[in-house]
Amino acid sequence: MSRIGERLQRLIAASGPICVAHYMAEANAHYYATRDPFGAGGDFTTAPEISQMFGELIGLWLADLWDRAGRPLGARYVELGPGRGTLAADALRAILKAELEPPVELVETSPALRRAQAERLPQAAWHNDIAALPEDGPILAVANEFFDAVPARQLVATEAGWRERLVACEGGRFVPVAGNPIPSEAIPPALQGLRAGEILETSPAAGAIVRQLARRIIMHGGAALIVDYGHVRTGVGDTLQAVSAHDYADPWIEPGERDLTVHVDFEALAAAARDQGARVHGPVPQGQWLQAMGIDLRASALSRASPEQARAIAAARARLVAPDQMGELFKVMALTSPDWPEPAGFQ
Ligand SMILES: C[S@@+](CC[C@H](N)C(=O)[O-])C[C@H]1O[C@@H](n2cnc3c(N)ncnc32)[C@H](O)[C@@H]1O
């Protein structure tokens, strides 16, 4: 069993089963703190690691919006969970073309990834959470594949009503079990009375982060672009998954040694942002958004500049936009200040 697994086993033996969000938080904190999981030799590959086009188009989106908002002073580039810093480096190159060189504020808890980010972004400042950001200036914020790693609770429908899904340890193995009853008011009306065994996922932590982002945008202006895989409407289903060496793995073994994620509930995130007064755009499929932002033109320009790379560029473009690859499953949603103009890519 992994080191975190042994710790959780002792905790469960001492004080009983823990909730799924607790299990996910401990596992992911250890996982990200101890490695660089990206690329062919790692566990998974994210969009910015596939092609520079992804980060460049995000940078262009932010710069265009900032420009049409009247080029307000003091804007800060903010990224949640910046991985290796690749997206930020590509986005900032595009932003610089608009003659904006914003301070770079990275929200990252992993010491290993902070070191990787510092190599590409020596000018950056780091924060453990969004509440620690400097309090002035509009934000130009990005979160790619961040919210899927934020801990989520799972609620399970039983014959006796909804229950919190807990993680127990039986015979040295982690197993999900039905725990404390959940008051029926906590369940959306459309999902009351489902079949026993159905799972509803909810992430109070993700909602709290979006509320903070939205509050910040309302107070000082700005925009945030959220890209992740997930569903447009709140629904039922167990989406907790682990990925290891580019393959699906069992989320209930070796916590801390594999990435645990859930599909992002965009409807819940949108509601949290609107609740604070932010405007919400999308979500739209990633492929549609990248095409609206001009990925085809950018791919042609890059291929003309490096003809020997044309096949690789075409393959990367297809991976990002094709509906059977990342184009449909991944969604793009934006939050903006009500005083800022209509963002590109969502018409
Ligand atoms: C799947 S990676 C995405 C990386 C990057 N955005 C990309 O697209 O390549 C998740 C990132 O979020 C960070 N992270 C995970 N949980 C976090 C938390 N609670 N607070 C801050 N960063 C977190 C990880 O360390 C990592 O940088």
PDB file of all heavy atoms in Angstrom, residues 32 38 44 46 48 79 81-83 107-110 113 128 144-146, ligand 1:
ATOM      1  N   TYR A  32       0.449  15.275  -6.504  1.00  0.00           N
ATOM      2  CA  TYR A  32       1.031  16.438  -7.203  1.00  0.00           C
ATOM      3  C   TYR A  32       2.265  16.981  -6.485  1.00  0.00           C
ATOM      4  O   TYR A  32       3.147  17.561  -7.120  1.00  0.00           O
ATOM      5  CB  TYR A  32      -0.019  17.539  -7.384  1.00  0.00           C
ATOM      6  CG  TYR A  32      -0.966  17.226  -8.526  1.00  0.00           C
ATOM      7  CD1 TYR A  32      -2.285  16.873  -8.293  1.00  0.00           C
ATOM      8  CD2 TYR A  32      -0.519  17.266  -9.831  1.00  0.00           C
ATOM      9  CE1 TYR A  32      -3.143  16.572  -9.341  1.00  0.00           C
ATOM     10  CE2 TYR A  32      -1.362  16.968 -10.894  1.00  0.00           C
ATOM     11  CZ  TYR A  32      -2.673  16.629 -10.641  1.00  0.00           C
ATOM     12  OH  TYR A  32      -3.498  16.327 -11.681  1.00  0.00           O
ATOM     13  N   PHE A  38       3.334  14.909 -16.207  1.00  0.00           N
ATOM     14  CA  PHE A  38       2.924  15.176 -17.589  1.00  0.00           C
ATOM     15  C   PHE A  38       3.806  14.486 -18.621  1.00  0.00           C
ATOM     16  O   PHE A  38       4.963  14.191 -18.371  1.00  0.00           O
ATOM     17  CB  PHE A  38       2.957  16.691 -17.857  1.00  0.00           C
ATOM     18  CG  PHE A  38       2.124  17.467 -16.883  1.00  0.00           C
ATOM     19  CD1 PHE A  38       2.713  18.064 -15.779  1.00  0.00           C
ATOM     20  CD2 PHE A  38       0.756  17.572 -17.047  1.00  0.00           C
ATOM     21  CE1 PHE A  38       1.954  18.762 -14.865  1.00  0.00           C
ATOM     22  CE2 PHE A  38      -0.018  18.280 -16.133  1.00  0.00           C
ATOM     23  CZ  PHE A  38       0.592  18.874 -15.030  1.00  0.00           C
ATOM     24  N   PHE A  44      -0.243  11.436 -17.800  1.00  0.00           N
ATOM     25  CA  PHE A  44      -1.222  11.978 -18.749  1.00  0.00           C
ATOM     26  C   PHE A  44      -0.637  13.200 -19.459  1.00  0.00           C
ATOM     27  O   PHE A  44       0.401  13.736 -19.038  1.00  0.00           O
ATOM     28  CB  PHE A  44      -2.545  12.355 -18.052  1.00  0.00           C
ATOM     29  CG  PHE A  44      -2.363  13.259 -16.867  1.00  0.00           C
ATOM     30  CD1 PHE A  44      -2.257  14.632 -17.032  1.00  0.00           C
ATOM     31  CD2 PHE A  44      -2.282  12.741 -15.571  1.00  0.00           C
ATOM     32  CE1 PHE A  44      -2.076  15.473 -15.942  1.00  0.00           C
ATOM     33  CE2 PHE A  44      -2.101  13.571 -14.473  1.00  0.00           C
ATOM     34  CZ  PHE A  44      -1.999  14.946 -14.654  1.00  0.00           C
ATOM     35  N   THR A  46      -1.776  17.029 -21.052  1.00  0.00           N
ATOM     36  CA  THR A  46      -2.846  18.038 -21.092  1.00  0.00           C
ATOM     37  C   THR A  46      -2.721  18.868 -22.386  1.00  0.00           C
ATOM     38  O   THR A  46      -1.683  18.842 -23.047  1.00  0.00           O
ATOM     39  CB  THR A  46      -2.744  18.968 -19.872  1.00  0.00           C
ATOM     40  OG1 THR A  46      -1.429  19.527 -19.851  1.00  0.00           O
ATOM     41  CG2 THR A  46      -3.017  18.221 -18.574  1.00  0.00           C
ATOM     42  N   PRO A  48      -2.137  22.062 -23.185  1.00  0.00           N
ATOM     43  CA  PRO A  48      -0.973  22.914 -23.476  1.00  0.00           C
ATOM     44  C   PRO A  48       0.283  22.110 -23.766  1.00  0.00           C
ATOM     45  O   PRO A  48       1.195  22.609 -24.436  1.00  0.00           O
ATOM     46  CB  PRO A  48      -0.797  23.762 -22.202  1.00  0.00           C
ATOM     47  CG  PRO A  48      -1.654  23.140 -21.167  1.00  0.00           C
ATOM     48  CD  PRO A  48      -2.711  22.353 -21.859  1.00  0.00           C
ATOM     49  N   GLU A  79      -3.177  32.163 -12.897  1.00  0.00           N
ATOM     50  CA  GLU A  79      -3.516  30.806 -13.352  1.00  0.00           C
ATOM     51  C   GLU A  79      -3.654  29.874 -12.163  1.00  0.00           C
ATOM     52  O   GLU A  79      -2.831  29.868 -11.244  1.00  0.00           O
ATOM     53  CB  GLU A  79      -2.453  30.286 -14.340  1.00  0.00           C
ATOM     54  CG  GLU A  79      -2.967  29.025 -15.036  1.00  0.00           C
ATOM     55  CD  GLU A  79      -2.068  28.527 -16.154  1.00  0.00           C
ATOM     56  OE1 GLU A  79      -1.386  29.339 -16.813  1.00  0.00           O
ATOM     57  OE2 GLU A  79      -2.050  27.291 -16.357  1.00  0.00           O
ATOM     58  N   GLY A  81      -3.555  26.112 -10.851  1.00  0.00           N
ATOM     59  CA  GLY A  81      -3.007  24.797 -11.223  1.00  0.00           C
ATOM     60  C   GLY A  81      -2.257  24.831 -12.542  1.00  0.00           C
ATOM     61  O   GLY A  81      -2.650  24.164 -13.497  1.00  0.00           O
ATOM     62  N   PRO A  82      -1.148  25.591 -12.619  1.00  0.00           N
ATOM     63  CA  PRO A  82      -0.485  25.797 -13.918  1.00  0.00           C
ATOM     64  C   PRO A  82       0.387  24.651 -14.407  1.00  0.00           C
ATOM     65  O   PRO A  82       1.055  24.805 -15.439  1.00  0.00           O
ATOM     66  CB  PRO A  82       0.375  27.045 -13.684  1.00  0.00           C
ATOM     67  CG  PRO A  82       0.207  27.431 -12.255  1.00  0.00           C
ATOM     68  CD  PRO A  82      -0.536  26.373 -11.532  1.00  0.00           C
ATOM     69  N   GLY A  83       0.419  23.527 -13.739  1.00  0.00           N
ATOM     70  CA  GLY A  83       1.179  22.372 -14.250  1.00  0.00           C
ATOM     71  C   GLY A  83       2.647  22.697 -14.411  1.00  0.00           C
ATOM     72  O   GLY A  83       3.328  23.098 -13.469  1.00  0.00           O
ATOM     73  N   VAL A 107      -1.470  30.090  -8.748  1.00  0.00           N
ATOM     74  CA  VAL A 107      -2.046  29.408  -7.576  1.00  0.00           C
ATOM     75  C   VAL A 107      -1.678  27.938  -7.707  1.00  0.00           C
ATOM     76  O   VAL A 107      -2.199  27.225  -8.577  1.00  0.00           O
ATOM     77  CB  VAL A 107      -3.575  29.618  -7.518  1.00  0.00           C
ATOM     78  CG1 VAL A 107      -4.163  28.859  -6.332  1.00  0.00           C
ATOM     79  CG2 VAL A 107      -3.904  31.105  -7.434  1.00  0.00           C
ATOM     80  N   GLU A 108      -0.742  27.507  -6.891  1.00  0.00           N
ATOM     81  CA  GLU A 108      -0.183  26.154  -7.034  1.00  0.00           C
ATOM     82  C   GLU A 108       0.268  25.673  -5.659  1.00  0.00           C
ATOM     83  O   GLU A 108       0.993  26.390  -4.968  1.00  0.00           O
ATOM     84  CB  GLU A 108       1.016  26.193  -8.001  1.00  0.00           C
ATOM     85  CG  GLU A 108       1.765  24.887  -8.144  1.00  0.00           C
ATOM     86  CD  GLU A 108       0.885  23.777  -8.690  1.00  0.00           C
ATOM     87  OE1 GLU A 108       0.574  23.800  -9.882  1.00  0.00           O
ATOM     88  OE2 GLU A 108       0.484  22.882  -7.901  1.00  0.00           O
ATOM     89  N   THR A 109      -0.133  24.454  -5.302  1.00  0.00           N
ATOM     90  CA  THR A 109       0.259  23.932  -3.997  1.00  0.00           C
ATOM     91  C   THR A 109       1.458  22.979  -4.087  1.00  0.00           C
ATOM     92  O   THR A 109       2.087  22.694  -3.074  1.00  0.00           O
ATOM     93  CB  THR A 109      -0.931  23.179  -3.346  1.00  0.00           C
ATOM     94  OG1 THR A 109      -1.560  22.386  -4.355  1.00  0.00           O
ATOM     95  CG2 THR A 109      -1.939  24.131  -2.747  1.00  0.00           C
ATOM     96  N   SER A 110       1.764  22.483  -5.273  1.00  0.00           N
ATOM     97  CA  SER A 110       2.806  21.457  -5.385  1.00  0.00           C
ATOM     98  C   SER A 110       4.212  22.061  -5.456  1.00  0.00           C
ATOM     99  O   SER A 110       4.524  22.808  -6.390  1.00  0.00           O
ATOM    100  CB  SER A 110       2.556  20.633  -6.660  1.00  0.00           C
ATOM    101  OG  SER A 110       3.754  20.020  -7.073  1.00  0.00           O
ATOM    102  N   LEU A 113       5.905  21.045  -8.791  1.00  0.00           N
ATOM    103  CA  LEU A 113       5.460  21.774  -9.981  1.00  0.00           C
ATOM    104  C   LEU A 113       5.825  23.257  -9.896  1.00  0.00           C
ATOM    105  O   LEU A 113       6.086  23.880 -10.918  1.00  0.00           O
ATOM    106  CB  LEU A 113       3.967  21.549 -10.215  1.00  0.00           C
ATOM    107  CG  LEU A 113       3.669  20.114 -10.695  1.00  0.00           C
ATOM    108  CD1 LEU A 113       2.182  19.853 -10.772  1.00  0.00           C
ATOM    109  CD2 LEU A 113       4.317  19.839 -12.046  1.00  0.00           C
ATOM    110  N   ASN A 128      -0.806  29.760  -2.356  1.00  0.00           N
ATOM    111  CA  ASN A 128      -1.407  28.452  -2.052  1.00  0.00           C
ATOM    112  C   ASN A 128      -2.876  28.400  -2.403  1.00  0.00           C
ATOM    113  O   ASN A 128      -3.419  27.339  -2.663  1.00  0.00           O
ATOM    114  CB  ASN A 128      -1.239  28.104  -0.571  1.00  0.00           C
ATOM    115  CG  ASN A 128       0.125  27.521  -0.324  1.00  0.00           C
ATOM    116  OD1 ASN A 128       0.711  26.882  -1.206  1.00  0.00           O
ATOM    117  ND2 ASN A 128       0.656  27.761   0.862  1.00  0.00           N
ATOM    118  N   ASN A 144      -7.008  25.466 -16.513  1.00  0.00           N
ATOM    119  CA  ASN A 144      -7.168  24.335 -17.430  1.00  0.00           C
ATOM    120  C   ASN A 144      -6.919  23.047 -16.668  1.00  0.00           C
ATOM    121  O   ASN A 144      -5.868  22.883 -16.041  1.00  0.00           O
ATOM    122  CB  ASN A 144      -6.172  24.437 -18.590  1.00  0.00           C
ATOM    123  CG  ASN A 144      -6.350  23.278 -19.573  1.00  0.00           C
ATOM    124  OD1 ASN A 144      -7.423  23.106 -20.136  1.00  0.00           O
ATOM    125  ND2 ASN A 144      -5.326  22.471 -19.749  1.00  0.00           N
ATOM    126  N   GLU A 145      -7.878  22.140 -16.719  1.00  0.00           N
ATOM    127  CA  GLU A 145      -7.777  20.861 -15.993  1.00  0.00           C
ATOM    128  C   GLU A 145      -7.362  21.085 -14.536  1.00  0.00           C
ATOM    129  O   GLU A 145      -6.516  20.380 -14.002  1.00  0.00           O
ATOM    130  CB  GLU A 145      -6.813  19.901 -16.693  1.00  0.00           C
ATOM    131  CG  GLU A 145      -7.417  19.316 -17.960  1.00  0.00           C
ATOM    132  CD  GLU A 145      -6.835  17.964 -18.304  1.00  0.00           C
ATOM    133  OE1 GLU A 145      -6.818  17.085 -17.422  1.00  0.00           O
ATOM    134  OE2 GLU A 145      -6.401  17.786 -19.447  1.00  0.00           O
ATOM    135  N   PHE A 146      -7.957  22.089 -13.919  1.00  0.00           N
ATOM    136  CA  PHE A 146      -7.729  22.346 -12.496  1.00  0.00           C
ATOM    137  C   PHE A 146      -8.923  21.822 -11.701  1.00  0.00           C
ATOM    138  O   PHE A 146      -8.767  21.071 -10.732  1.00  0.00           O
ATOM    139  CB  PHE A 146      -7.534  23.846 -12.268  1.00  0.00           C
ATOM    140  CG  PHE A 146      -7.574  24.251 -10.822  1.00  0.00           C
ATOM    141  CD1 PHE A 146      -6.496  24.024  -9.994  1.00  0.00           C
ATOM    142  CD2 PHE A 146      -8.711  24.846 -10.285  1.00  0.00           C
ATOM    143  CE1 PHE A 146      -6.531  24.384  -8.638  1.00  0.00           C
ATOM    144  CE2 PHE A 146      -8.758  25.210  -8.943  1.00  0.00           C
ATOM    145  CZ  PHE A 146      -7.666  24.981  -8.127  1.00  0.00           C
TER     146      PHE A 146
HETATM  147  C1  LIG B   1      -4.069  18.211 -14.191  1.00  0.00           C
HETATM  148  S1  LIG B   1      -2.939  19.387 -13.662  1.00  0.00           S
HETATM  149  C2  LIG B   1      -3.233  20.662 -14.872  1.00  0.00           C
HETATM  150  C3  LIG B   1      -2.017  21.404 -15.188  1.00  0.00           C
HETATM  151  C4  LIG B   1      -2.072  22.507 -16.233  1.00  0.00           C
HETATM  152  N1  LIG B   1      -3.172  23.425 -16.034  1.00  0.00           N
HETATM  153  C5  LIG B   1      -2.093  21.954 -17.641  1.00  0.00           C
HETATM  154  O1  LIG B   1      -3.080  22.171 -18.313  1.00  0.00           O
HETATM  155  O2  LIG B   1      -1.126  21.332 -18.037  1.00  0.00           O
HETATM  156  C6  LIG B   1      -3.605  20.051 -12.169  1.00  0.00           C
HETATM  157  C7  LIG B   1      -2.809  21.201 -11.589  1.00  0.00           C
HETATM  158  O3  LIG B   1      -3.517  21.729 -10.468  1.00  0.00           O
HETATM  159  C8  LIG B   1      -2.650  21.755  -9.324  1.00  0.00           C
HETATM  160  N2  LIG B   1      -3.517  21.571  -8.149  1.00  0.00           N
HETATM  161  C9  LIG B   1      -4.253  20.488  -7.856  1.00  0.00           C
HETATM  162  N3  LIG B   1      -4.980  20.710  -6.742  1.00  0.00           N
HETATM  163  C10 LIG B   1      -4.700  21.977  -6.347  1.00  0.00           C
HETATM  164  C11 LIG B   1      -5.144  22.814  -5.289  1.00  0.00           C
HETATM  165  N4  LIG B   1      -6.044  22.368  -4.401  1.00  0.00           N
HETATM  166  N5  LIG B   1      -4.672  24.073  -5.196  1.00  0.00           N
HETATM  167  C12 LIG B   1      -3.781  24.536  -6.108  1.00  0.00           C
HETATM  168  N6  LIG B   1      -3.311  23.780  -7.142  1.00  0.00           N
HETATM  169  C13 LIG B   1      -3.760  22.528  -7.250  1.00  0.00           C
HETATM  170  C14 LIG B   1      -1.653  20.641  -9.600  1.00  0.00           C
HETATM  171  O4  LIG B   1      -0.486  20.716  -8.823  1.00  0.00           O
HETATM  172  C15 LIG B   1      -1.426  20.863 -11.098  1.00  0.00           C
HETATM  173  O5  LIG B   1      -0.570  21.961 -11.324  1.00  0.00           O
END
